[in-house]
């Protein structure tokens, strides 16, 4: 039985260097729990999601954006607020318009966990691995990590909205 990483992650939230310190710690903790080759964090901004962290910035750069709200994936994860597990390439193709890039990286399974606050999906916690890597029980292991992102995602969204207001 793996010990919960939550106490250590909660201590990291109090340390300086946020949110980057938390992002790196979540990447490490989720890798220890279920494994992954791609780890990204995105906050919701209208119909788009904006990336605030990526362990593979060459392929998936920070501040990259995707239109995901008006998609079947967006309906499931952002509107219904349910995790998505794609076990194979068909699941990846169903969910993501950039499936060719994902597949070119040797990835074929995904877990997306909505980050929920005040009844709203404010972002997603995303891990990808080779095809058939994830199973349903893996969702249960990583889902408790997602709420730790609430302050960082709210802050990222507020900064983006303030920047948009200043430039308008």
């Amino acid at each position: 039985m793996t010990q919960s990483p939550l106490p250590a992650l909660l201590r990291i939230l109090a340390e300086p260097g946020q949110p980057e310190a938390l992002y790196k710690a979540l990447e490490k903790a989720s890798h220890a729990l279920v494994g992954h080759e791609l780890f990204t964090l995105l906050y919701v901004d209208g119909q788009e999601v904006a990336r605030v962290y990526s362990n593979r910035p060459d392929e998936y750069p920070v501040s990259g954006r995707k239109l995901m709200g008006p998609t079947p994936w967006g309906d499931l994860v952002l509107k219904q607020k349910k995790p998505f597990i794609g076990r194979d390439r068909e699941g990846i193709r169903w969910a993501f318009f950039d499936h060719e890039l994902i597949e070119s990286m040797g990835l074929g399974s995904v877990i997306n966990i909505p980050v929920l606050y005040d009844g709203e999906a404010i972002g997603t916690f995303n891990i990808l691995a080779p095809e058939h890597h994830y199973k349903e029980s893996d969702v249960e292991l990583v889902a408790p990590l997602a709420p730790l992102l609430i302050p960082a995602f709210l802050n990222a969204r507020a900064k983006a909205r303030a920047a948009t207001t200043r430039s308008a």
Side-chain angles (χ1 to χ4, degrees):
M1 183 72 129
T2 305
Q3 183 178 350
S4 171
L6 285 173
L9 291 167
L10 288 168
R11 285 190 296 275
I12 287 168
L13 272 173
E15 294 177 5
Q18 298 304 322
E20 195 72 18
L22 175 65
Y23 295 164
K24 290 179 186 232
L26 284 170
E27 177 188 351
K28 184 177 178 183
S30 62
H31 190 272
L33 287 170
V34 299
H36 58 70
E37 291 185 20
L38 176 61
F39 174 89
T40 66
L41 301 171
L42 300 108
Y43 72 91
V44 175
D45 189 14
Q47 293 292 314
E48 295 181 322
V49 291
R51 196 172 303 107
V52 294
Y53 185 83
S54 171
N55 71 331
R56 294 185 62 176
D58 289 341
E59 296 96 341
Y60 283 97
V62 170
S63 75
R65 298 175 84 83
K66 294 181 180 184
L67 184 65
M68 295 301 291
T71 66
W73 178 93
D75 184 60
L76 178 71
V77 178
L78 302 178
K79 288 186 183 149
Q80 295 180 44
K81 305 170 199 134
K82 294 180 181 176
F84 171 66
I85 181 169
R87 292 178 179 82
D88 55 27
R89 287 190 174 142
E90 286 306 311
I92 297 287
R93 289 176 187 149
W94 174 84
F96 307 114
F97 70 87
D98 57 346
H99 59 85
E100 290 177 356
L101 175 58
I102 294 168
E103 291 173 18
S104 77
M105 296 167 63
L107 305 174
S109 62
V110 62
I111 294 175
N112 304 119
I113 305 291
V115 176
L116 306 175
Y117 178 72
D118 196 24
E120 176 187 359
I122 62 166
T124 62
F125 174 109
N126 316 289
I127 53 176
L128 292 92
E131 196 169 27
H132 305 295
H133 181 85
Y134 295 121
K135 54 190 178 298
E136 201 66 40
S137 59
D138 292 334
V139 173
E140 296 168 20
L141 291 173
V142 295
L145 304 179
L148 295 171
L149 292 162
I150 292 168
F153 284 3
L154 290 175
N155 192 40
R157 186 165 68 178
K159 284 181 178 178
R161 290 180 178 170
T164 301
T165 302
R166 282 193 301 271
S167 67

